Amino acid sequence: MEKRWVAVLAGFVLIYMIPLSLILGSMLKSNGVPKASDGRMDLTGWDFEGKGSVELSGDWEFYRGQLLTPDDFKGSSSKSLQQLTGYVQVPGKWNRDMEGKATGHATYRLIVELDSAEDVQKLYALHTNSIRLAHRIFFNGEEIGSSGRPGTSAGSTISGNVPYVAVGSAAKEAEIIVQIANYSYSSGGMIYPILFGDVPSVMKNRDRAMWMDHVAITGFAIPAFFFLLMYRLRKDERSLLHMGLFCTAALIYLLTHGQKLLAEWLPEMSYEMFMRIQLGSSAFAYYYLLRYTASSMQGSGYIRIIRAGKLASAAIIFMAVCLPTLWFSAMEGMILLYSLSMVGCVAYIMVRTFAGRREERLSLFLSLQSVLIVIAASLLEVFGASNQQMLIPYGMLIFVVTQAIMLARRFAATFQSAEHLSEKLLTLDGLKDQFMANTSHELRTPLHGMVNIAQSLTEGAAGSVNSEQEKQLKLIISTGKRLTSLINDILDFEKLKASQIQLNLAPVHLPSVVQSVVEVMEYVKGGKSITFVQEWPERLPLLHTDESRLRQMLYNLLGNAVKFTERGTIRIGAEVHRDEVVISVEDTGAGIPAHRLDSLFTAYDQAGDAMDWQYQGTGLGLYITRSLVELNGGRIWVETTEGSGSTFRFTIPSASGEATLSTDVRSGKESFDDPVVQAEQTALRMPASFGHHKVLVVDDDPVNRQILMNLLSVLSCEVTAVADGADALDALHSGPAFDLVMIDWMMPRMSGIELSRKIRARYSLYELPILMLTARSLQGDIQTAFSAGVNDYLTKPVDAEELRARTGTLIQLRKSVRDAFHAEIAFLQAQIKPHFLYNALNTIIATCPVSPDRAMELLVELSQYLRNSFDFHNREQLVPLAKELELVQAYLALEQARFEDRLQVVYELPDQCHALLPPLTIQPIVENAVRHGVMQKPQGGRVHIAVTDEPHELLVRVTDEGVGMPQAKADELLSEGRTSPGGVGMINIHKRLLSLYGAESGLKVASAPGQGTSVTFRIPKR
């Protein structure tokens, strides 16, 4: 009984006290507030910080039919110069002051006297509310805000009536001019006053209004979603649908009133459409309120009321859709009568139901009172007694809340006993499992911390450790990792018991999954002499399974095989049996005793109990594997001989209707037989966009390739997408120079790890970055990836922004390194050895008296040499072979003129040389051959420059008949760790060739003392 009276008291406070406090607070606040008189308002002495902002109510200057600006009021006799119509009361409609018309345009003006002892400019703010139906505001000569665009005719006016806050500065006096135009509504002018004050007080008022709007909107949005969702679950309850639609319509109504948030969300919407939505949403709200009341009260005598309400609502909606806004706004009286009639019908139905619902009387009483609030608020607004716009939404929200409570009590009473019994059973059944799961989760974090601390200690984080300490720390690490595995197994075990694991079935390529697991097991086996062998049939179908769970099964089985095998071979194979594939894992380990076979796949069975203590495990791995196999529709069994090893076999359904993989066991190559897939792969090799950076995407899934191409196109990347590692290596060898390679770990033919290793054999980490994409997240995966040479690692599913960020970082890394590299090349190219220049000039001077024509030719050769050498803008990575040979010929021509018969040059060049090579590649080699080769002999010698055209590449050879050197010293020239003095020319050329063309294209130096030196290299044709 006491609870009921408490509820009644709370309802009384909510329904009556809060609305009355809002109305009384508004009335008391208006007392003592200055009012405008004869177009002036005195705010000197007003404390904005303590008393808040002020409504600019009272008498404003009114200029009918004029849109005046501050310039029109400049001068001492501004009023006499302008046609002052009179003074208009604000707030209020201007119809009477516009000679009985609603449409037209006019200007409002008010002078506000401010409290400022000095002529100091301060910031003030204005908050508009409802100014029909387009306006502009000028504050002290500056336009500070507008809604719509006022004009002198309907055609030049754009309607808009959205509240906003504008800021301006003033000192002792503020002139406020408001241009207003209305050609779309039945009344115009300042319907509600402008709020004026300092910026903090106005923003506080505006934030309060926004907060109230958001609270009301949330109050309707949540019930709307809840009731519509409930109706979807219980479609026989029509009242749920009606209440959900009422809340939705009321939500839209609120978005078009108050601060009119819908206009902020849809700024392109015309205000005429905005007014139609206002009227239409109110009609839908009243109609569905009536329908809900009639259906929830379960009465049969309201058919006539519902029909009348439907016809009236249809008429209002017709007006909102078809009539001009000026017409239907003139019918405000009829629309108000409609609203009151609909709310009155709702109250009538509730009063009739009140007597027969004893258990719901309180909810019905509160709902009825909230309806009366809506009626009272509507009447107060009509008669101008109150402008509290939130009273009507407040009353509707109280109605929704009380009805929601009533419906909740109905449903609670229906299901209370069943839920009570169900909760009891679930509690008793889940206590044990919940304890284990919670304990496992809590253990995981400190356990990882222990392992990481021990790992850091072994690496010397707290100083060096001796061998015994390192041994003990490694024992801690090993035990911690075993405990981590136990925790993971316990969590999976509890999920399997609760049937919470669901398989994401899809076609899976078995050899790729096995290869990825074996790559990790190579690290897990430690120092054991174990060889992994994979044996696959010629035609192996795709499996219909969950890839991550298949990997987990293989990890458990291969982990057991590694644990029980000290040395020997572990074989992984498969056999095709009709519509399933039998997968086998065979080891040459200790085997399993016969008496343990019956309990081998049960939970917490430890196969190592009968053997040495080091073989003991968690006892859950095989149980989890069996459960996952059976969940996938397969079976598992073991064949073993104690002392001779074990063979675990399990079946997985094959993917019907999927592409079949043809596997060549000897070469390890597979090919898709599906022509559609082949066509997609061919199509996806086309560039996605043409940008500044080139990215190679390697993924066997056509959909993934397309997604990556789309994401990378935003970064202005030119993307080349291929389906496997072999195509990727071909693209790197014959295609353009790529800035980044993006590789998927799981691929047929060649895994992403294997491809990364092959790329690293040719390119360093900064020369060609690699980003690995994979769904793998098991222990050891990251270590395996980085040890293969990847720069970064991203786990699927990939976030688009993270992918772009990592891609941009890696590309920028490569660009920075290459910029530094090119700057070094340009620096080397720009260097001119002074002795060579002096010698060349002396040779030309000596030749000039004897042979002027020859001297002229030498000058041309010198200019050609200098032009190429002083090419400071040459930052290109490759130049034509012909350009490099021009530099060589110019250099040799000058040296031949200097040394005459001591230097002989032989060229062996093809007719056409269309290849590209790095700049300053041949010339430094030729210069070395001249200076350190033939010129070291008194009689000189010959330099032979040959370019041989081979099928796919060019062979460049520079041979001299100079003094030569020991082969060991020749090899040291290309070593970064050389100890002999000398320049960086040869090693620089060698590194550039290796970076661009791989290990086969570096410099090859052959030399012998007294027999000369030969330098060769190869460049591909492009």
Side-chain angles (χ1 to χ4, degrees):
M1 192 66 179
E2 293 182 359
K3 292 183 178 180
R4 181 178 294 273
W5 280 109
V6 171
V8 171
L9 181 61
F12 179 79
V13 172
L14 285 173
I15 295 175
Y16 289 108
M17 297 304 295
I18 293 179
L20 286 175
S21 64
L22 291 175
I23 296 174
L24 292 176
S26 177
M27 295 174 63
L28 291 175
K29 184 178 179 181
S30 62
N31 293 334
V33 176
K35 300 289 184 181
S37 177
D38 295 335
R40 300 185 71 86
M41 176 179 280
D42 185 4
L43 292 182
T44 57
W46 183 264
D47 182 12
F48 289 108
E49 182 177 355
K51 299 181 180 179
S53 52
V54 178
E55 293 182 348
L56 300 182
S57 303
D59 297 331
W60 286 56
E61 293 180 7
F62 185 69
Y63 298 86
R64 181 176 57 242
Q66 303 171 70
L67 294 180
L68 304 178
T69 64
D71 293 337
D72 297 322
F73 292 95
K74 290 181 179 178
S76 59
S77 57
S78 60
K79 291 187 180 180
S80 62
L81 295 176
Q82 308 303 327
Q83 298 179 6
L84 176 63
T85 305
Y87 298 96
V88 63
Q89 182 66 29
V90 174
K93 303 175 183 179
W94 71 5
N95 294 35
R96 184 174 58 185
D97 299 282
M98 293 291 288
E99 298 179 339
K101 297 187 300 181
T103 58
H105 57 279
T107 300
Y108 287 62
R109 182 172 180 263
L110 179 67
I111 303 297
V112 181
E113 298 176 5
L114 301 171
D115 188 11
S116 179
E118 301 178 0
D119 191 11
V120 178
Q121 296 288 325
K122 296 182 179 179
L123 289 178
Y124 294 92
L126 292 87
H127 184 197
T128 65
N129 195 334
S130 179
I131 303 177
R132 293 177 184 160
L133 200 58
H135 72 274
R136 287 198 301 171
I137 298 179
F138 297 89
F139 189 86
N140 273 1
E142 299 290 335
E143 181 179 348
I144 62 172
S146 66
S147 183
R149 187 180 67 193
T152 57
S153 64
S156 61
T157 299
I158 298 177
S159 298
N161 187 13
V162 179
Y164 62 90
V165 172
V167 179
S169 61
K172 295 182 179 181
E173 190 176 84
E175 178 191 44
I176 302 174
I177 299 174
V178 184
Q179 297 179 354
I180 304 177
N182 173 43
Y183 294 95
S184 303
Y185 207 80
S186 61
S187 61
M190 289 192 200
I191 307 304
Y192 294 108
I194 297 175
L195 202 65
F196 176 80
D198 60 0
V199 175
S201 63
V202 172
M203 291 305 298
K204 180 179 179 181
N205 184 279
R206 192 252 186 187
D207 292 341
R208 182 168 60 250
M210 292 289 289
W211 178 82
M212 293 176 66
D213 278 1
H214 282 94
V215 169
I217 289 169
T218 305
F220 281 104
I222 295 175
F225 175 78
F226 171 75
F227 285 118
L228 291 176
L229 181 61
M230 289 293 294
Y231 173 71
R232 181 176 177 83
L233 300 176
R234 297 176 58 87
K235 292 193 175 181
D236 55 329
E237 292 282 349
R238 301 286 295 178
S239 61
L240 297 175
L241 174 63
H242 297 148
M243 177 56 86
L245 293 176
F246 162 68
C247 292
T248 303
L251 173 64
I252 298 174
Y253 176 84
L254 285 174
L255 290 173
T256 59
H257 288 76
Q259 298 303 303
K260 301 180 180 177
L261 299 178
L262 185 63
E264 294 186 10
W265 298 347
L266 301 173
E268 302 300 325
M269 179 189 297
S270 67
Y271 199 75
E272 284 78 6
M273 177 60 70
F274 197 85
M275 290 189 291
R276 296 182 189 277
I277 294 176
Q278 283 181 327
L279 182 58
S281 61
S282 64
F284 277 112
Y286 285 122
Y287 172 70
Y288 284 114
L289 176 63
L290 178 63
R291 289 298 305 271
Y292 165 74
T293 307
S295 59
S296 65
M297 301 308 162
Q298 300 175 356
S300 58
Y302 311 125
I303 297 178
R304 292 183 180 179
I305 295 178
I306 293 175
R307 287 179 180 174
K310 182 184 293 186
L311 290 175
S313 300
I316 298 297
I317 294 171
F318 174 81
M319 291 166 51
V321 173
C322 300
L323 296 183
T325 57
L326 185 61
W327 290 13
F328 69 67
S329 63
M331 304 178 187
E332 285 182 333
M334 186 178 70
I335 295 173
L336 176 62
L337 179 62
Y338 159 78
S339 303
L340 293 176
S341 300
M342 296 292 284
V343 176
C345 291
V346 170
Y348 169 75
I349 294 173
M350 296 181 68
V351 169
R352 286 195 55 182
T353 311
F354 188 78
R357 300 284 183 88
R358 294 181 58 87
E359 70 281 357
E360 296 178 351
R361 282 186 178 181
L362 179 59
S363 297
L364 289 172
F365 173 76
L366 296 178
S367 300
L368 180 60
Q369 302 309 307
S370 65
V371 171
L372 294 179
I373 286 182
V374 175
I375 296 175
S378 300
L379 293 175
L380 289 174
E381 187 173 353
V382 169
F383 292 108
S386 173
N387 63 349
Q388 292 293 327
Q389 303 177 49
M390 290 302 298
L391 286 179
I392 294 178
Y394 178 78
M396 290 183 175
L397 186 58
I398 294 296
F399 177 84
V400 171
V401 171
T402 54
Q403 291 300 304
I405 294 173
M406 186 179 70
L407 291 175
R409 294 187 63 181
R410 288 182 185 177
F411 287 119
T414 304
F415 295 103
Q416 186 174 7
S417 59
E419 288 180 352
H420 180 70
L421 179 60
S422 176
E423 287 175 2
K424 250 180 110 177
L425 293 175
L426 289 173
T427 301
L428 293 173
D429 183 64
L431 281 176
K432 175 180 63 69
D433 295 342
Q434 188 65 37
F435 171 77
M436 295 187 65
N438 290 341
T439 304
S440 300
H441 277 293
E442 293 299 326
L443 283 174
R444 180 177 288 178
T445 299
L447 181 59
H448 277 293
M450 291 167 52
V451 172
N452 291 335
I453 290 173
Q455 183 70 43
S456 65
L457 290 175
T458 61
E459 295 171 356
S464 59
V465 295
N466 57 43
S467 59
E468 182 61 26
Q469 292 172 336
E470 183 178 3
K471 179 181 177 181
Q472 298 300 326
L473 288 172
K474 287 184 177 180
L475 180 60
I476 294 175
I477 296 170
S478 175
T479 306
K481 289 183 178 179
R482 287 175 58 198
L483 187 54
T484 301
S485 177
L486 171 60
I487 291 174
N488 294 332
D489 286 344
I490 290 175
L491 293 176
D492 282 341
F493 171 70
E494 298 303 330
K495 289 180 181 178
L496 286 167
K497 281 192 62 179
S499 300
Q500 294 178 350
I501 290 183
Q502 294 184 350
L503 301 181
N504 299 318
L505 300 178
V508 175
H509 181 228
L510 177 60
S512 299
V513 177
V514 172
Q515 178 61 30
S516 67
V517 175
V518 168
E519 288 170 348
V520 177
M521 286 297 163
E522 291 285 353
Y523 291 92
V524 174
K525 72 179 184 181
K528 293 184 176 182
S529 300
I530 298 176
T531 303
F532 293 94
V533 177
Q534 302 179 44
E535 298 175 339
W536 308 115
E538 184 176 354
R539 298 186 64 83
L540 180 64
L542 299 177
L543 303 184
H544 186 61
T545 186
D546 185 321
E547 181 179 315
S548 63
R549 293 301 176 180
L550 175 61
R551 192 182 301 115
Q552 184 178 0
M553 302 175 206
L554 292 169
Y555 267 118
N556 287 336
L557 295 178
L558 287 173
N560 274 345
V562 170
K563 182 170 64 174
F564 291 104
T565 304
E566 288 300 320
R567 63 181 60 84
T569 302
I570 297 177
R571 298 180 181 275
I572 308 100
E575 299 176 2
V576 181
H577 289 179
R578 293 189 295 275
D579 57 349
E580 64 182 13
V581 176
V582 180
I583 304 170
S584 62
V585 176
E586 179 183 355
D587 64 69
T588 57
I592 303 171
H595 69 276
R596 304 206 57 86
L597 294 180
D598 293 337
S599 60
L600 188 63
F601 293 101
T602 58
Y604 300 107
D605 178 80
Q606 296 177 312
D609 285 350
M611 305 177 189
D612 188 68
W613 66 270
Q614 63 180 322
Y615 293 128
Q616 295 181 8
T618 64
L620 289 174
L622 292 178
Y623 168 80
I624 293 172
T625 301
R626 188 199 67 180
S627 301
L628 292 175
V629 169
E630 292 175 350
L631 188 62
N632 205 151
R635 62 191 187 282
I636 186 171
W637 67 95
V638 61
E639 301 167 358
T640 181
T641 301
E642 188 173 358
S644 301
S646 305
T647 302
F648 285 85
R649 303 183 191 273
F650 64 97
T651 63
I652 297 292
S654 59
S656 59
E658 300 292 339
T660 302
L661 288 175
S662 176
T663 306
D664 186 338
V665 179
R666 291 169 297 178
S667 63
K669 295 183 178 180
E670 301 96 18
S671 62
F672 280 98
D673 293 337
D674 193 334
V676 176
V677 175
Q678 293 177 353
E680 290 178 344
Q681 293 172 352
T682 303
L684 287 175
R685 287 188 175 92
M686 296 298 291
S689 62
F690 296 92
H692 300 90
H693 307 293
K694 299 178 177 63
V695 178
L696 177 62
V697 173
V698 190
D699 198 314
D700 62 311
D701 189 343
V703 176
N704 288 345
R705 294 201 300 273
Q706 187 61 60
I707 292 173
L708 292 174
M709 293 166 72
N710 293 341
L711 293 176
L712 293 174
S713 64
V714 178
L715 296 176
S716 299
C717 293
E718 179 182 338
V719 182
T720 300
V722 297
D724 53 44
D727 290 343
L729 293 175
D730 290 342
L732 290 172
H733 180 71
S734 59
F738 291 98
D739 298 288
L740 174 67
V741 181
M742 199 171 291
I743 304 175
D744 181 47
W745 189 320
M746 300 285 297
M747 291 187 298
R749 300 182 177 90
M750 183 189 301
S751 71
I753 294 296
E754 184 181 354
L755 175 59
S756 299
R757 293 194 180 106
K758 291 189 176 182
I759 293 176
R760 283 292 164 257
R762 174 172 174 180
Y763 300 97
S764 65
L765 286 168
Y766 59 84
E767 288 172 336
L768 184 58
I770 299 176
L771 177 61
M772 181 71 74
L773 304 178
T774 179
R776 302 167 59 91
S777 58
L778 295 177
Q779 186 177 6
D781 289 345
I782 297 178
Q783 179 184 356
T784 303
F786 282 111
S787 65
V790 303
N791 294 72
D792 206 348
Y793 180 96
L794 202 54
T795 304
K796 296 179 181 178
V798 176
D799 178 73
E801 294 302 323
E802 184 179 4
L803 174 69
R804 295 191 186 107
R806 291 177 183 266
T807 300
T809 300
L810 292 176
I811 290 177
Q812 188 61 37
L813 169 66
R814 181 179 185 274
K815 182 177 181 299
S816 299
V817 174
R818 298 197 72 82
D819 286 346
F821 180 77
H822 293 161
E824 179 186 356
I825 297 303
F827 172 75
L828 293 174
Q829 187 175 3
Q831 293 184 74
I832 297 297
K833 297 177 177 58
H835 288 294
F836 170 77
L837 187 59
Y838 297 153
N839 293 332
L841 290 175
N842 289 334
T843 302
I844 295 172
I845 292 171
T847 307
C848 189
V850 179
S851 177
D853 293 338
R854 177 58 178 162
M856 190 64 114
E857 292 175 1
L858 292 177
L859 283 173
V860 172
E861 297 291 351
L862 179 60
S863 67
Q864 179 70 25
Y865 179 85
L866 293 177
R867 182 163 53 251
N868 289 331
S869 298
F870 279 117
D871 188 6
F872 289 100
H873 299 288
N874 183 15
R875 293 286 198 275
E876 298 298 327
Q877 187 177 5
L878 299 173
V879 297
L881 176 60
K883 183 175 181 180
E884 181 72 8
L885 290 176
E886 288 178 2
L887 181 63
V888 171
Q889 291 170 347
Y891 168 78
L892 289 175
L894 294 169
E895 292 291 71
Q896 280 186 298
R898 175 187 172 193
F899 297 111
E900 300 180 345
D901 293 337
R902 291 183 62 203
L903 176 60
Q904 302 172 21
V905 180
V906 177
Y907 294 99
E908 188 177 345
L909 306 176
D911 295 333
Q912 296 181 344
C913 299
H914 296 302
L916 299 174
L917 78 168
L920 287 178
T921 302
I922 303 177
Q923 192 272 335
I925 299 174
V926 173
E927 185 174 350
N928 276 335
V930 173
R931 293 181 58 200
H932 303 294
V934 296
M935 290 299 104
Q936 297 300 317
K937 286 185 175 182
Q939 71 275 19
R942 182 175 60 182
V943 175
H944 185 197
I945 300 144
V947 178
T948 306
D949 191 356
E950 297 184 355
H952 301 291
E953 55 191 7
L954 294 177
L955 174 64
V956 180
R957 184 187 305 274
V958 177
T959 306
D960 67 75
E961 298 176 350
V963 294
M965 70 188 88
Q967 186 61 42
K969 185 176 181 180
D971 295 336
E972 188 181 357
L973 290 176
L974 305 181
S975 173
E976 293 188 11
R978 64 188 184 279
T979 58
S980 60
V984 296
M986 295 293 284
I987 185 63
N988 185 285
I989 297 170
H990 182 61
K991 288 172 61 177
R992 284 187 288 155
L993 290 173
L994 289 178
S995 171
L996 290 171
Y997 308 122
E1000 298 299 325
S1001 298
L1003 294 180
K1004 304 291 189 301
V1005 181
S1007 183
Q1011 298 182 12
T1013 303
S1014 175
V1015 180
T1016 61
F1017 63 90
R1018 298 176 184 272
I1019 55 174
K1021 294 181 178 179
R1022 300 216 175 183

